[in-house]
Amino acid sequence: EDTWLGDERYSGDAPLELEGALGAVTMGLIYVNPEGAKGQADPLATAHDIRVTFGRMAMNDEETVALIAGGHTFGKAHGAGNPDLVGPEPEGCPVFSGGLGWKNQNGTGKGADTVTSGLEGAWTPNPTQWDNGYWDMLFGFEWELTQSPAGAKQWKPKEAEGQELVPDAHIPGKKNPPMMATSDLSLIVDPEYRKISERFRDNPEEFAEAYRRAWFKLLHRDMGPVSRYVGPWVPQEVQLWQDPIPAVDHELLSDSDAAELKKQILDSGLTVSQLVHTAWSSAASFRTTDKRGGANGARLRLEPQASWPVNAGTQEVIAKLDEVRSAFGKPVSLADTIVLAGAAAVEKAAADAGVTVTVPFAPGRTDASQEQTDVETFAFLEPRADGFRNWITPDVKLEPETLLVDRAYNLELSAKELTVLIGGLRVLGANTGGTQHGVFTDRPGVLSQDFFRNLLDLGVEWGTSKDQEGVYEARDADGNVVRTATAADLVFGSNSILRGIVEVYGADDAKEKFVRDFVKAWDKVMNLDRFDLR
């Protein structure tokens, strides 16, 4: 959007068609506009925005109602004066501001003169203690639209007995009417929210328990599995949003077992490209921002990941690997098998390039069930693009190279690791759908330096393709197209930092260095979710 609180996030008129990559319905706000959807005091329309935003936070209707009502049981909103007298945010201030912003010139600028949200007032008569006051107020009065001193749309009781119920936060003895935002009224106007609100009103203990659980979820959703929690207060109950996986219930593979299973996998008829693409697809779902995804659990075979277009072709490979591991004679999880298969493929590809290397393998992964997988929230892990597999969703606005860097960040990769992995994955043929963009080699499946060397080839001239959007073509001196690429390939030649790394890995004496660095980066990605190994 061009302006703060802009309205560019929906496509069409349907309120649920929020752009896939976004989390909130309004830029600049954590949740929704409390004055109402698009700034209009319409509780029913605002309920749609609430459901969209909280749904993308993995909250269902009951959790959403509990969080809003429970959060508004405490504290107050601040809109005591003219918002034009509040200065710019810290990033918009002069350099001498010391990183401080929002300087408020309303009176003292603090206390009774505070302006933040623009709404003014508290929701309950006892805003410093937990009670059922929020529901008593919300259901107890008829509400009429008014304005805060800052000019924001908010609601107050129509009845005279509702005008002096809330103690003023700063002036002893003064009483004010309770306040409700348009988003609060959504809880009694939306039919589904109202059912839950009435139940919570009539069952205070159930409301308190729902708030307790939803609050814990809100604060811990970015911590990953329970195994990462520390301290004496870790709950014993493991919840679905924590992506549970079963405990290991069998003896782990020995080194000799792993070596034998790798041999059987390579004899199964599956190609290096298939094994590498599947192992990468399994592990690269990891997202460091909330420690979700990864190979452990083998959720690549489950919904929603099994149906992601970026994972096309993996289910056939998984079915074959499942046959191999079932016939192996010793228990081994499918999750371990997928990762081990990738290691076997990389070792073979390196050997075919003339470098003997052993890819590390740490067994201990287990297989989650579909019932242990939160399909709705896992859907938000689906990448808009994965430059490592040279795949991008149609009509994505951001540049492929920008999205590639974002993927690298979520995989905790440095510029060097990003470069070496791209160079290896391209020559190994790991592109989704078997596309040839960026496969700068005549011997796919061999862990060679060909990507780097051909990227630096000055004997061709690159230009945009006339037939395929987002595709570039390299033509030789006779005008023949000799290779194709996307921006996720060519950025390694155009960006000065990445090009310097490419020149190192393309050097005559860097064959072994490239292979060993690739194996190290590959192993890192395969184990991003192995918190038990860290």
Side-chain angles (χ1 to χ4, degrees):
E1 294 92 346
D2 294 327
T3 60
W4 205 241
L5 299 182
D7 184 29
E8 305 290 335
R9 304 198 153 205
Y10 286 130
S11 59
D13 296 326
L16 296 182
E17 292 182 10
L18 181 64
E19 186 176 322
L22 300 174
V25 294
T26 305
M27 182 181 75
L29 296 176
I30 301 174
Y31 304 119
V32 301
N33 189 339
E35 296 184 66
K38 299 182 180 181
Q40 304 300 312
D42 183 341
L44 191 58
T46 302
H48 287 294
D49 278 7
I50 293 172
R51 189 167 277 113
V52 170
T53 294
F54 278 77
R56 292 184 179 217
M57 295 162 53
M59 300 295 175
N60 60 30
D61 280 359
E62 182 168 304
E63 292 166 330
T64 298
V65 172
L67 284 172
I68 293 175
H72 292 177
T73 295
F74 298 112
K76 71 181 291 287
H78 301 84
N82 185 357
D84 293 338
L85 295 178
V86 179
E89 73 279 3
E91 295 297 331
C93 289
V95 67
F96 55 77
S97 66
L100 303 176
W102 296 298
K103 186 177 180 181
N104 184 5
Q105 298 183 56
N106 284 288
T108 65
K110 59 184 179 181
D113 298 317
T114 301
V115 179
T116 53
S117 68
L119 279 68
E120 173 63 29
W123 292 267
T124 79
N126 298 297
T128 61
Q129 70 183 48
W130 177 267
D131 58 20
N132 228 39
Y134 178 84
W135 299 122
D136 294 338
M137 297 298 100
L138 186 60
F139 282 102
F141 296 105
E142 186 176 351
W143 296 87
E144 64 179 355
L145 186 63
T146 185
Q147 284 190 342
S148 74
K153 297 181 180 71
Q154 61 183 62
W155 301 74
K156 68 175 183 179
K158 283 186 177 181
E159 296 85 345
E161 58 268 26
Q163 305 308 308
E164 295 186 353
L165 290 175
V166 180
D168 192 272
H170 307 284
I171 302 174
K174 182 183 179 183
K175 292 291 186 72
N176 303 309
M179 178 275 303
M180 290 289 165
T182 302
S183 52
D184 292 298
L185 295 187
S186 298
L187 302 189
I188 57 174
V189 172
D190 179 88
E192 294 304 315
Y193 285 162
R194 186 178 181 95
K195 292 177 186 176
I196 298 168
S197 298
E198 290 175 343
R199 176 159 49 87
F200 284 164
R201 176 199 61 188
D202 297 339
N203 299 277
E205 291 184 1
E206 183 179 349
F207 170 46
E209 174 66 9
Y211 180 70
R212 182 183 73 87
R213 297 173 71 88
W215 180 258
F216 177 78
K217 179 178 179 179
L218 181 71
L219 266 62
H220 294 78
R221 282 262 300 126
D222 61 348
M223 287 188 61
V226 175
S227 62
R228 299 188 69 247
Y229 292 21
V230 296
W233 297 339
V234 178
Q236 294 299 309
E237 180 185 2
V238 178
Q239 301 183 63
L240 183 62
W241 57 266
Q242 294 170 316
D243 301 336
I245 56 174
V248 177
D249 61 358
H250 57 266
E251 185 178 348
L252 299 181
L253 294 180
S254 65
D255 290 345
S256 59
D257 292 334
E260 176 58 29
L261 184 53
K262 283 191 288 187
K263 181 178 181 300
Q264 293 184 21
I265 290 170
L266 292 176
D267 291 339
S268 68
L270 294 170
T271 67
V272 165
S273 295
Q274 287 177 306
L275 297 174
V276 168
H277 177 258
T278 300
W280 181 268
S281 299
S282 182
S285 60
F286 182 81
R287 189 168 67 179
T288 191
T289 49
D290 55 5
K291 313 302 180 187
R292 299 189 75 192
N296 202 358
R299 287 190 167 92
L300 179 62
R301 79 197 195 284
L302 306 174
E303 294 299 337
Q305 293 187 44
S307 297
W308 290 352
V310 68
N311 294 333
T314 59
Q315 299 310 302
E316 296 84 353
V317 178
I318 289 174
K320 187 64 176 179
L321 290 177
D322 202 22
E323 291 180 13
V324 174
R325 67 122 183 179
S326 297
F328 183 59
K330 291 189 176 181
V332 54
S333 68
L334 182 58
D336 269 348
T337 304
I338 292 171
V339 173
L340 187 64
V346 171
E347 290 175 359
K348 181 182 187 305
D352 291 342
V355 180
T356 301
V357 66
T358 299
V359 177
F361 172 70
R365 299 169 186 83
T366 60
D367 301 331
S369 67
Q370 189 67 68
E371 291 71 29
Q372 293 172 311
T373 303
D374 190 341
V375 174
E376 186 173 349
T377 64
F378 254 106
F380 292 111
L381 269 70
E382 182 178 4
R384 292 173 284 168
D386 185 355
F388 294 94
R389 289 175 279 180
N390 227 339
W391 181 89
I392 188 167
T393 303
D395 302 323
V396 168
K397 295 178 181 178
L398 291 177
E399 296 85 356
E401 61 271 35
T402 299
L403 293 167
L404 171 62
V405 172
D406 181 65
R407 292 297 305 155
Y409 168 79
N410 270 300
L411 295 175
E412 303 181 3
L413 298 174
S414 65
K416 174 184 170 182
E417 291 167 331
L418 161 64
T419 305
V420 75
L421 282 168
I422 287 289
L425 290 169
R426 290 295 187 272
V427 297
L428 294 178
N431 287 350
T432 294
T435 62
Q436 294 303 298
H437 305 319
V439 185
F440 303 156
T441 182
D442 294 327
R443 42 183 183 158
V446 176
L447 194 53
S448 68
Q449 300 165 276
D450 291 353
F451 174 83
F452 306 114
R453 295 190 173 191
N454 286 310
L455 181 66
L456 300 173
D457 180 11
L458 298 180
V460 297
E461 183 174 349
W462 284 96
T464 56
S465 171
K466 297 180 181 179
D467 302 321
Q468 294 179 277
E469 185 178 358
V471 174
Y472 301 86
E473 297 173 340
R475 296 179 180 271
D476 61 18
D478 296 325
N480 300 313
V481 176
V482 294
R483 59 187 71 103
T484 60
T486 69
D489 302 305
L490 299 188
V491 67
F492 291 90
S494 62
N495 179 276
S496 59
I497 294 174
L498 298 179
R499 185 183 178 94
I501 302 170
V502 166
E503 290 174 351
V504 170
Y505 285 128
D508 289 344
D509 60 353
K511 182 169 72 170
E512 287 201 12
K513 174 178 176 56
F514 159 61
V515 170
R516 299 193 186 285
D517 285 356
F518 176 85
V519 168
K520 186 176 180 180
W522 171 273
D523 182 58
K524 176 178 178 177
V525 173
M526 293 300 116
N527 291 293
L528 284 171
D529 64 343
R530 291 297 303 278
F531 305 109
D532 55 317
L533 302 179
R534 301 190 186 185

